[in-house]
Every structure is written in structure tokens, then in C-alpha cells.
């Protein structure tokens, strides 16, 4: 919901992947359960910021209407410096992803969140869930989502203390 509020205040948009990375890299660093953030609209534009298990950072910029199957991938240093970019082709439209479809079903005027059912993340092929929110601004609908690996949820609950002898489980 914080990211939704930042979106409503126009703290990030599609004009600068650098500003997006600068804003959200510290957010992902402080939340080890979240491996990536996605920002998309109803026109098929998307910015993905992904932290790989190796500690490397990647962005994927998609613009279905302008670029079709082409995507611009970026490699980033831990200090948010861009190390390089490469164009790749993939059959991908963010509007078809479960986090986008679920968020678009939310009322854009009311702050709310949507949790996906577990699914395989397209980029990393790891099982996880996404939490997403939606807003409307300037005649467009926007979605922001965070991806959480199921293994991260398992680690988180395994390390929880619940009373003297309790435990947490995810079913």
C-alpha cells in the first residue's frame, strides 16, 4: 500500500528506470522476503526490478504496444549504477499475469491488496506468490506488485517464535 501511495503521488513512473531502481532497491534490500517489484499499466508497459539469489540486480522494461516482443534488460550494481543493457525477445504481456489481473479487479479508488495463489514466477521459474495493488491516475490504471518466493515464506515462518512452545505453519 505504501508503493501504491507513492505511485499516486507520482514518485515513480515509466520515464526513468534509474529513478525506479533508486527508489525501490532499498525497499527490496530491507525486505528479504520480497525478491522483486513490478510496476505496470493497462497499456502493457512494465518495469521489473529483480534481486537474484547471487545478489545481482536486473530490470526488465516491457512496452507491448511500442516494442511488441522486445524487452530491454538492465544489469545494475548494488549502488544503483547501471552496468549494461541488452535487448531480448519474449512472448510476454504483463496484463496476462495473475498479479495484474487480480489487481485490476480491485476498486482503484479504495486502497486494497490482492494476493495471488501460488504460481511459478515467469522470470526465475521459482514458486511464489505476488501481492499487488491498483490505482487510477490521469485516465490510466496502474498496478504495483511484490513477488515473494514460497521458500522465503517457509524460512520466515520457520524462524518465528510463537509463545514458549508454539510454531507457525503454512498450509
Amino acid at each position: 500500500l505504501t508503493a501504491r501511495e507513492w505511485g499516486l503521488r507520482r514518485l515513480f513512473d515509466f520515464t526513468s528506470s534509474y529513478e525506479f531502481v533508486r527508489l525501490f532497491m532499498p525497499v527490496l534490500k530491507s525486505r528479504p522476503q520480497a525478491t522483486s517489484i513490478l510496476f505496470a499499466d493497462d497499456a502493457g508497459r512494465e518495469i521489473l526490478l529483480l534481486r537474484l539469489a547471487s545478489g545481482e540486480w536486473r530490470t526488465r522494461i516491457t512496452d507491448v504496444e511500442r516494442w511488441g516482443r522486445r524487452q530491454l534488460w538492465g544489469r545494475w550494481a548494488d549502488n544503483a549504477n547501471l552496468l549494461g543493457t541488452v535487448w531480448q525477445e519474449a512472448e510476454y504481456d504483463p496484463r496476462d499475469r495473475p498479479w495484474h489481473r487480480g489487481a485490476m479487479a480491485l476498486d482503484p479508488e479504495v486502497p486494497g491488496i490482492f494476493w495471488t495463489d501460488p504460481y511459478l514466477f515467469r522470470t526465475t521459474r521459482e514458486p511464489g506468490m505476488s501481492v499487488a495493488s491498483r490505482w487510477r491516475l490521469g485516465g490510466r490504471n496502474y498496478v504495483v506488485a511484490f513477488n515473494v518466493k514460497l521458500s522465503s515464506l517457509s524460512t520466515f515462518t520457520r524462524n518465528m517464535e510463537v509463545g514458549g512452545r508454539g510454531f507457525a505453519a503454512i498450509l
Side-chain angles (χ1 to χ4, degrees):
L1 291 175
T2 300
R4 178 190 185 273
E5 184 66 29
W6 289 353
L8 275 167
R9 293 178 185 216
R10 300 175 192 244
L11 294 182
F12 58 92
D13 58 27
F14 292 105
T15 60
S16 173
S17 61
Y18 173 72
E19 292 300 325
F20 186 82
V21 169
R22 268 185 23 145
L23 181 63
F24 284 107
M25 191 180 276
V27 172
L28 291 178
K29 284 181 180 180
S30 67
R31 290 163 180 81
Q33 296 83 13
T35 58
S36 60
I37 180 171
L38 305 115
F39 167 53
D41 68 7
D42 54 11
R45 294 183 297 176
E46 178 203 70
I47 299 175
L48 160 77
L49 174 61
L50 170 67
R51 179 185 54 227
L52 298 173
S54 65
E56 297 177 62
W57 294 88
R58 297 283 188 271
T59 52
R60 177 186 64 214
I61 302 173
T62 303
D63 190 333
V64 175
E65 290 184 1
R66 287 179 41 215
W67 302 338
R69 295 171 39 102
R70 293 183 61 192
Q71 301 171 328
L72 183 61
W73 283 85
R75 289 185 317 110
W76 298 81
D78 202 43
N79 61 359
N81 285 331
L82 181 63
L83 301 173
T85 60
V86 63
W87 286 96
Q88 295 182 357
E89 287 201 14
E91 194 65 43
Y92 176 79
D93 188 329
R95 297 169 291 190
D96 295 334
R97 303 305 297 153
W99 51 269
H100 196 281
R101 287 192 313 267
M104 291 302 276
L106 297 172
D107 182 343
E109 304 303 321
V110 178
I113 59 171
F114 169 80
W115 279 96
T116 66
D117 289 334
Y119 69 102
L120 281 181
F121 294 144
R122 180 175 173 86
T123 305
T124 63
R125 306 307 302 162
E126 296 174 289
M129 299 171 68
S130 300
V131 58
S133 192
R134 172 189 179 191
W135 68 97
R136 186 165 178 80
L137 188 64
R140 278 237 177 269
N141 292 290
Y142 298 93
V143 174
V144 65
F146 290 88
N147 287 337
V148 179
K149 294 187 302 185
L150 291 185
S151 62
S152 295
L153 289 176
S154 178
T155 300
F156 178 75
T157 57
R158 187 172 43 251
N159 295 326
M160 288 179 83
E161 289 187 28
V162 184
R165 294 195 257 179
F167 63 92
I170 298 178
L171 305 174

